[in-house]
Amino acid sequence: MKVYKTDQIRNIALIGNAGSGKTTLAEAMLFEGGVINRRGEVTSKNTVSDYQPIEHDYGNSVFSSVLYTECNDKKINIIDTPGMDDFRGSVISALHVVGSAVVTVNTPHGIEAGTEAVCRYTEQAGKPMILLMNQLDHENVNFDQTVDQAKSIFGNKVTVVQYPVNSGPGFDSIIDVLKMKLYKYPADGGKPEILDIPEDEKDRADELHNELVEMAAENDEALMELYFDKGSLSEDEMRQGIKLGMIDRSLFPVFCADSKHNKGVGRLMEFISNITPSPAEAVEVPEINGKVVDKSEKAATSIIVFKTTIEQHVGEITYFKVMSGTVKEGQDLIIAKTGNKERISQIFVSAGKTRTKVSEMIAGDIGATVKMKDVNVNNTLSEKTAGYKFAEIKFPSSRHTVALKAVNESDEEKVGEMFQKLHDEDPTYIVEYSKELKQMLVHCQGEYHINTLKWYYTNVFKIDIEFKDPKIPYRETITKSAQADYRHKKQSGGSGQFGEVHMIIEPYVEGVPEKNMFNMNGKEQKISVRNTEEHQLDWGGKLIFHNCIVGGSIDARFLPAILKGIMEKMNEGPLTGSYARDIRVYVYDGKMHPVDSNEISFKLAGRNAFSMAFKNAGPKILEPVYDLEVLVQSDRMGDVMSDLQGRRALIMGMGSEKGYEKISAKVPLKEMNKYITSLSSLTQGRGIFSMKFDKYEKVPQEVQDELLAAYAAEQEEE
């Protein structure tokens, strides 16, 4: 296959709502470019893009697919992405390496929630986008209404380049106001007849042409002067202005297609090859050390890895973009993160699962290789003389958490190993083992994401797993002071065990000094603090330990053992086994035995005295409370507010942001389980939320009673 120069390469991502026709469009683009000689169909499970077994089962894309086609002596690299927002990590990683995005719109449905979501990702990535009004052959198509809807969301940047003459069943004609021609397609699609614009469409075409000329001229002072001088621009001048407008995201061109019947696709490819930015012109991944990247083909080589996948009979496939120089078969590169050397054994151009071997690739191109040992997504590899390190893909934070457990305990280790493979392929799957909750927690994007995980364990890894609701990391504390003493005594032949500890505990409040007077048995008694240890707890809060022993009732060597016993009970609180925090302890008296006292005796005495005092000190359970921000469309505000109030949320404020209504609230984590599903249902998929931990607060008494009862039942079971 031909080696393409940087200025002959165009990199695009196909993004859009599920069902908007991205995979079908990709199929038509490959057919138009001669990469395939027959177009497959999603329903027939024979498309180049959706080739994974899970995609055949689901009937839609789960992973991004790397493809290519050719047009006008240019290579167009295509990344076809999933439409379900649970797989948004694939969209974000694709946008990281492409120059432009084609947003497919299911025109009969208008601008859907998924369309809005992917357009937000292009904004975050700073990438140009083309809006493709697709499926114009369907019933109930209203092109003008969908364009108006797009303008209401994205502003007047939305600019019509094409409009359909006869949308709906029988659709076959498009007017292109850049070319000022009518494209009429055969019934089965393909090469159009290019005709003059009919008289009855001239006024509309002229009006839209003038709008396009004005939008193109606005992006360059020289073009603006030409426009004022001549009153118009040539096609080449318009191309220049459109390209500049696309690069700075001040112009979003609108195109038309029926990708299923290959109508409008060839003209779209022509526009991509002629006008969208090459890798030399596009907004590229920055070098984080501020080095100027030499993109010429003779410069030092560097690549970035944006995707990995595992295929049966092949193993791990690594997808990369060439950032500088020329990458060649057999070349050794250095991994920026580790300094280790890695050999590029083979280089492939990908069209789904079909890979064509090439000897080299030049800066800007996208390729694949195999048998890389220590290379993961977000790795930069370069020649030693370059020493580049490129910015990493910022994958989205998780929105949904479940506890994952193997049905058979013997499979636990295998579950973790297999999860790592899935994480490598989709880094938005995050796993952690919570020592506190004694659960393996999976953080992901939503329930569809979780169902995909289940599919892999069942169908590929052959491991039975189950999902449970994650436990809540409660905390325990006290609200008043209490006194307790405990004697540990054990005699079993030979030396026994003896230790007696007297202590007072009280709540610790930052900035409030320790006391020296306490009411014990109805009498005020003075206690003198001899020394203090302050322990910052790993799980938040503090334990303040005061040694108030006088007269040697407990030897100083046993105090660390008493502290250890207290800390054990802080690790597993007396109420529900949750971590305890913010407690001040005064050990003021006790007894020893000259023979039987030892560290274990005082550890147990300290632990039990603390537990007894805790239960008499107005114990309270604390729950994690999060700052929540929800963005919703105005007509759904009432429903979302009602739902939040049912979740014990405290509304902190309301406002507007980016055309949405914004609700700010504080809400307990316990009430947010599966919120992504509820919000999606309430807002037809358009609601967005983010959460950030704020603080721990006391739970209401009825919630505490429920938690105590549940813990008691759990202990009985065990």
Side-chain angles (χ1 to χ4, degrees):
M1 183 182 170
K2 175 182 172 179
V3 175
Y4 284 87
K5 307 290 185 185
T6 304
D7 63 357
Q8 296 175 303
I9 296 166
R10 301 291 183 270
N11 297 320
I12 64 162
L14 303 184
I15 62 177
N17 197 81
S20 60
K22 297 178 298 299
T23 298
T24 303
L25 173 63
E27 200 75 6
M29 291 176 78
L30 268 61
F31 179 76
E32 278 286 317
V35 175
I36 56 175
N37 54 26
R38 182 175 174 274
R39 287 179 289 130
E41 294 183 358
V42 172
T43 51
S44 300
K45 304 179 182 180
N46 61 354
T47 57
V48 175
S49 185
D50 287 356
Y51 62 90
Q52 302 269 25
I54 187 172
E55 293 171 322
H56 291 165
D57 274 9
Y58 281 11
N60 55 38
S61 303
V62 172
F63 301 104
S64 62
S65 292
V66 179
L67 319 162
Y68 78 95
T69 190
E70 294 169 300
C71 178
N72 291 342
D73 200 32
K74 293 186 177 74
K75 180 187 180 194
I76 303 173
N77 289 312
I78 303 165
I79 305 180
D80 177 24
T81 66
M84 300 285 292
D85 200 41
D86 278 13
F87 305 115
R88 59 188 179 148
S90 292
V91 177
I92 289 164
S93 62
L95 290 171
H96 192 70
V97 294
V98 299
S100 310
V102 174
V103 182
T104 56
V105 177
N106 185 340
T107 315
H109 292 181
I111 305 298
E112 299 172 276
T115 314
E116 287 186 59
V118 296
C119 290
R120 282 195 297 272
Y121 304 144
T122 67
E123 183 181 4
Q124 291 161 11
K127 298 298 168 81
M129 65 180 193
I130 298 166
L131 292 171
L132 181 70
M133 301 301 172
N134 198 14
Q135 300 174 346
L136 289 168
D137 61 318
H138 285 210
E139 298 275 1
N140 305 317
V141 172
N142 191 325
F143 174 84
D144 293 337
Q145 184 177 300
T146 305
V147 170
D148 288 344
Q149 190 186 2
K151 287 184 176 183
S152 72
I153 296 168
F154 309 120
N156 287 327
K157 300 174 181 182
V158 175
T159 307
V160 173
V161 175
Q162 294 181 335
Y163 70 90
V165 174
N166 58 338
S167 54
F171 163 73
D172 67 354
S173 298
I174 296 168
I175 288 178
D176 189 305
V177 301
L178 172 58
K179 291 277 191 182
M180 287 304 283
K181 291 290 181 183
L182 180 140
Y183 288 71
K184 188 175 178 65
Y185 292 86
D188 57 352
K191 193 174 177 65
E193 191 179 355
I194 302 174
L195 306 168
D196 290 333
I197 295 171
E199 283 298 321
D200 60 349
E201 291 291 341
K202 275 210 164 190
D203 288 347
R204 184 182 183 191
D206 285 340
E207 183 185 344
L208 290 171
H209 176 78
N210 290 334
E211 284 179 18
L212 182 60
V213 170
E214 286 179 20
M215 290 293 287
E218 282 178 7
N219 297 296
D220 185 85
E221 284 185 21
L223 288 175
M224 186 63 83
E225 286 178 18
L226 276 173
Y227 175 59
F228 286 144
D229 288 346
K230 301 191 303 182
S232 188
L233 295 175
S234 68
E235 187 179 327
D236 284 344
E237 288 162 349
M238 287 176 69
R239 283 179 179 175
Q240 183 186 342
I242 292 168
K243 178 184 284 190
L244 292 171
M246 288 182 67
I247 291 171
D248 71 11
R249 288 181 54 84
S250 62
L251 192 156
F252 302 147
V254 173
F255 276 75
C256 298
D258 164 13
S259 56
K260 184 176 182 181
H261 299 104
N262 192 19
K263 296 174 184 178
V265 177
R267 173 67 185 120
L268 172 69
M269 289 169 60
E270 189 180 286
F271 181 85
I272 290 168
S273 64
N274 287 335
I275 294 182
T276 59
S278 73
E281 301 163 314
V283 175
E284 287 287 79
V285 183
E287 204 284 329
I288 63 173
N289 297 314
K291 293 182 180 180
V292 176
V293 180
D294 185 349
K295 294 182 182 176
S296 64
E297 61 184 277
K298 296 197 181 298
T301 305
S302 64
I303 66 173
I304 55 172
V305 175
F306 67 93
K307 172 182 165 67
T308 64
T309 188
I310 296 173
E311 289 185 18
Q312 199 175 9
H313 311 306
V314 179
E316 187 169 300
I317 302 165
T318 302
Y319 294 90
F320 61 85
K321 180 177 182 181
V322 187
M323 300 302 293
S324 65
T326 303
V327 64
K328 299 181 179 179
E329 190 176 80
Q331 188 173 15
D332 289 330
L333 298 175
I334 307 296
I335 305 170
K337 272 185 182 174
T338 63
N340 296 337
K341 189 185 286 185
E342 189 76 40
R343 175 157 292 186
I344 309 294
S345 58
Q346 296 171 301
I347 303 171
F348 299 96
V349 173
S350 291
K353 66 180 176 182
T354 303
R355 283 170 286 277
T356 305
K357 198 173 173 189
V358 293
S359 59
E360 63 182 38
M361 278 187 172
I362 291 172
D365 214 344
I366 288 174
T369 188
V370 293
K371 298 178 182 174
M372 298 190 94
K373 295 174 188 172
D374 302 310
V375 175
N376 301 308
V377 170
N378 275 330
N379 280 166
T380 297
L381 293 84
S382 64
E383 288 187 281
K384 200 170 185 179
T385 53
Y388 294 137
K389 190 171 184 182
F390 291 95
E392 296 186 351
I393 302 161
K394 291 180 181 175
F395 287 103
S397 54
S398 63
R399 304 181 295 190
H400 187 56
T401 300
V402 295
L404 169 63
K405 188 177 183 298
V407 172
N408 301 313
E409 282 187 25
S410 58
D411 287 332
E412 287 287 356
E413 191 174 334
K414 212 187 294 182
V415 164
E417 288 173 11
M418 296 302 106
F419 192 94
Q420 186 58 47
K421 291 184 177 183
L422 288 171
H423 168 76
D424 289 344
E425 196 155 354
D426 182 352
T428 60
Y429 282 122
I430 307 290
V431 70
E432 65 162 318
Y433 182 77
S434 172
K435 183 182 170 187
E436 174 186 357
L437 304 177
K438 300 179 179 64
Q439 287 183 316
M440 181 186 285
L441 300 178
V442 173
H443 306 290
C444 59
Q445 300 303 312
E447 292 203 40
Y448 209 96
H449 212 200
I450 280 295
N451 291 340
T452 300
L453 192 73
K454 174 77 171 172
W455 187 94
Y456 267 90
Y457 276 103
T458 302
N459 295 283
V460 179
F461 306 144
K462 310 295 184 187
I463 302 172
D464 288 333
I465 59 167
E466 58 184 354
F467 295 118
K468 295 189 172 182
D469 290 342
K471 295 175 185 174
I472 303 299
Y474 291 108
R475 299 287 181 264
E476 299 180 13
T477 194
I478 55 174
T479 59
K480 64 182 183 180
S481 60
Q483 184 275 340
D485 52 75
Y486 187 87
R487 175 181 290 181
H488 174 74
K489 186 177 180 182
K490 188 176 180 184
Q491 198 68 44
S492 56
S495 59
Q497 293 179 0
F498 182 89
E500 185 174 318
V501 173
H502 298 219
M503 72 172 66
I504 295 170
I505 66 173
E506 67 174 1
Y508 166 75
V509 179
E510 191 76 44
V512 176
E514 71 269 11
K515 292 182 184 176
N516 58 10
M517 294 297 294
F518 290 92
N519 189 311
M520 287 188 280
N521 300 320
K523 292 181 182 179
E524 289 292 315
Q525 187 171 330
K526 185 174 183 179
I527 290 177
S528 300
V529 175
R530 296 184 64 192
N531 57 58
T532 298
E533 293 181 33
E534 184 175 300
H535 296 272
Q536 194 81 39
L537 303 170
D538 291 343
W539 51 87
K542 290 182 180 178
L543 168 69
I544 311 296
F545 182 78
H546 298 296
N547 170 14
C548 307
I549 299 294
V550 291
S553 58
I554 299 177
D555 197 285
R557 65 195 169 97
F558 293 130
L559 288 170
I562 296 171
L563 175 61
K564 189 175 181 182
I566 293 168
M567 195 62 84
E568 281 183 3
K569 208 60 197 166
M570 295 281 287
N571 264 280
E572 195 174 318
L575 298 184
T576 61
S578 305
Y579 291 137
R581 58 178 281 170
D582 296 328
I583 298 171
R584 197 186 286 275
V585 178
Y586 303 83
V587 176
Y588 66 91
D589 200 2
K591 289 182 182 175
M592 299 185 296
H593 186 278
V595 176
D596 293 347
S597 287
N598 53 28
E599 288 187 2
I600 187 70
S601 303
F602 277 98
K603 185 182 89 165
L604 292 170
R607 176 183 170 129
N608 285 295
F610 177 79
S611 185
M612 289 168 61
F614 192 101
K615 290 174 181 175
N616 293 321
K620 273 306 245 182
I621 297 171
L622 306 176
E623 63 182 345
V625 173
Y626 278 68
D627 284 325
L628 174 71
E629 276 194 0
V630 188
L631 296 179
V632 297
Q633 59 270 47
S634 57
D635 62 335
R636 300 288 167 170
M637 272 281 281
D639 293 338
V640 173
M641 291 275 283
S642 297
D643 178 69
L644 286 174
Q645 285 160 359
R647 296 174 184 271
R648 295 193 283 127
L650 179 63
I651 306 300
M652 304 302 291
M654 289 176 279
S656 298
E657 186 177 300
K658 296 181 180 177
Y660 282 80
E661 299 301 314
K662 182 167 82 170
I663 304 168
S664 300
K666 291 190 183 293
V667 61
L669 179 62
K670 178 181 187 292
E671 307 296 336
M672 294 303 287
N673 188 32
K674 298 182 181 175
Y675 184 63
I676 180 68
T677 307
S678 299
L679 182 64
S680 181
S681 174
L682 289 169
T683 63
Q684 296 178 321
R686 284 188 155 85
I688 313 160
F689 78 98
S690 61
M691 288 170 58
K692 185 180 177 184
F693 173 74
D694 178 33
K695 59 184 175 182
Y696 273 89
E697 287 187 351
K698 295 170 188 173
V699 301
Q701 189 58 48
E702 63 272 17
V703 175
Q704 177 153 324
D705 292 342
E706 285 174 21
L707 293 171
L708 292 174
Y711 184 68
E714 190 181 302
Q715 296 300 101
E716 260 183 49
E717 267 183 40
E718 290 179 4

